[in-house]
Amino acid sequence: MGKDTKGFFRRKWFLRIISLILALFLFMYVNGSKSGFLRQNTRNNNQSSALMSNKSVTLRMPLDVTIDNNKYIVSGYPQYVKVKVTGPSALVTTTSNTQNFKVYADLSDLTPGKHRVKLKTSGLNSELTSKIEPQYINVNIQPRKTITMKVTVRLSNKDLDNGYKLGRPHSDIQTVQVTGSRDEVNKVNRIVAFVAIPHDAKENIARQVTLQAIGRNGQTLNVVISPTTTNVSIPVSAGSQSSSSSDSSSSSSEESEDTKSSSRAMTQNDSSDSSSETSQSSSSISNEDSSSSSRSQQ
């Protein structure tokens, strides 16, 4: 029996079947490993290509102006500009989130006057490219000037209803510093605090008002005022009409009191006269009685 079993395992067809099965298993294993490797490589390649692909984004950036602010005033330039950044997707995304670069105009070597200046970027990664819109700006450089001016209070109206009158307005700030370009500061004629007065005001008015620089033609000028606001107080009092009505009511009251006093005095006089007449009448009657009694005794 044992010899038959050993002979069975030694037969050629059995060995061929075992070899075929092992070959199939080996083929499936190798093919599966290869597919997994290919899928992994494909995924890594896709991720790498996604990271290395170019991307563009447009950012709104503040514009920096380089100049000696203690000597000059610059006008005419925009506060913000647009920057289109292009490059590897990962770098563009990081730059868009952090905005760790700046756009500037270098005016340090320019003299007073009007100039056309090209904008530049600083701090941008070398692998990124940028395009600024606009590429050039027009600026006006003027010498800086500061003067001291008095504050004037102006009221929207001076006539109130119900006979009330406005007193003299008072500002808690008497003078201010006015700073700007020399040409603009020279145009300033006065610093005004405009106060809106309601027509039905009956109590003292207190307002915080923003100061304005006004030119000779009444236009508002673009200068810096320091401080920018002032507190204005305006007394409100009763006018002549209200006083006269109060006086007339007072005189009417006095006349009424005088009339009442006169009336009481007349009543007292009448009663005293009446009592006098009564006493005289009683006296005459008593005299008549006494004389008649004397005659009867005789």
Side-chain angles (χ1 to χ4, degrees):
M1 184 71 181
K3 293 181 178 180
D4 293 339
T5 303
K6 291 181 180 179
F8 176 80
F9 284 108
R10 290 176 180 176
R11 292 179 181 180
K12 294 181 179 181
W13 58 269
F14 177 77
L15 296 176
R16 291 174 180 174
I17 292 174
I18 295 298
S19 300
L20 179 61
I21 292 172
L22 293 175
L24 289 174
F25 275 111
L26 183 60
F27 174 77
M28 293 174 63
Y29 174 77
V30 173
N31 191 39
S33 299
K34 185 177 180 181
S35 299
F37 178 75
L38 291 175
R39 284 194 297 269
Q40 183 68 26
N41 285 342
T42 304
R43 187 180 301 111
N44 292 337
N45 290 334
N46 290 337
Q47 291 178 353
S48 299
S49 61
L51 291 175
M52 297 304 295
S53 63
N54 284 343
K55 178 181 178 181
S56 296
V57 66
T58 300
L59 305 176
R60 185 171 180 262
M61 299 292 295
L63 177 61
D64 292 338
V65 176
T66 304
I67 199 170
D68 188 352
N69 293 319
N70 294 324
K71 294 182 178 180
Y72 302 104
I73 293 289
V74 183
S75 60
Y77 64 92
Q79 188 176 359
Y80 292 90
V81 295
K82 293 181 180 180
V83 184
K84 183 179 181 181
V85 179
T86 304
S89 179
L91 288 177
V92 171
T93 301
T94 302
T95 303
S96 176
N97 293 334
T98 60
Q99 296 188 6
N100 54 352
F101 70 101
K102 70 176 184 178
V103 184
Y104 69 98
D106 188 3
L107 311 180
S108 56
D109 295 333
L110 300 180
T111 58
K114 296 182 179 181
H115 303 273
R116 178 178 170 85
V117 184
K118 184 178 181 179
L119 302 182
K120 302 177 182 178
T121 60
S122 175
L124 195 63
N125 192 292
S126 59
E127 297 185 28
L128 299 175
T129 60
S130 62
K131 183 178 180 181
I132 307 173
E133 182 64 32
Q135 295 183 0
Y136 291 86
I137 59 172
N138 296 316
V139 297
N140 185 10
I141 303 175
Q142 292 293 328
R144 186 185 187 95
K145 184 177 181 180
T146 300
I147 61 174
T148 301
M149 296 194 69
K150 293 183 179 180
V151 175
T152 303
V153 179
R154 292 191 60 183
L155 309 180
S156 60
N157 66 77
K158 296 182 180 180
D159 298 326
L160 300 178
D161 298 338
N162 302 322
Y164 284 84
K165 287 187 175 181
L166 295 174
R168 185 177 181 179
H170 173 73
S171 171
D172 65 343
I173 296 175
Q174 304 301 319
T175 59
V176 293
Q177 298 288 323
V178 181
T179 303
S181 65
R182 183 176 58 190
D183 294 344
E184 200 74 2
V185 170
N186 290 339
K187 296 177 184 177
V188 178
N189 185 40
R190 59 189 182 277
I191 303 298
V192 178
F194 288 103
V195 182
I197 304 297
H199 287 278
D200 58 350
K202 296 181 180 180
E203 298 179 351
N204 294 343
I205 299 171
R207 297 281 191 277
Q208 185 179 39
V209 185
T210 300
L211 299 174
Q212 300 181 36
I214 307 300
R216 293 177 178 82
N217 298 326
Q219 75 277 20
T220 302
L221 301 174
N222 184 23
V223 294
V224 178
I225 304 173
S226 181
T228 58
T229 61
T230 181
N231 294 314
V232 179
S233 58
I234 307 167
V236 178
S237 59
S240 58
Q241 294 181 1
S242 178
S243 299
S244 61
S245 62
S246 175
D247 294 342
S248 63
S249 63
S250 176
S251 62
S252 298
S253 175
E254 291 176 357
E255 289 178 0
S256 176
E257 291 295 330
D258 292 342
T259 304
K260 290 180 181 178
S261 300
S262 300
S263 181
R264 285 196 296 269
M266 291 176 65
T267 303
Q268 291 176 358
N269 291 333
D270 291 341
S271 58
S272 65
D273 292 341
S274 173
S275 62
S276 175
E277 289 177 359
T278 304
S279 63
Q280 289 178 1
S281 174
S282 300
S283 174
S284 78
I285 291 173
S286 68
N287 289 333
E288 289 178 358
D289 290 340
S290 63
S291 60
S292 86
S293 117
S294 120
R295 282 195 299 271
S296 65
Q297 287 177 0
Q298 291 176 1

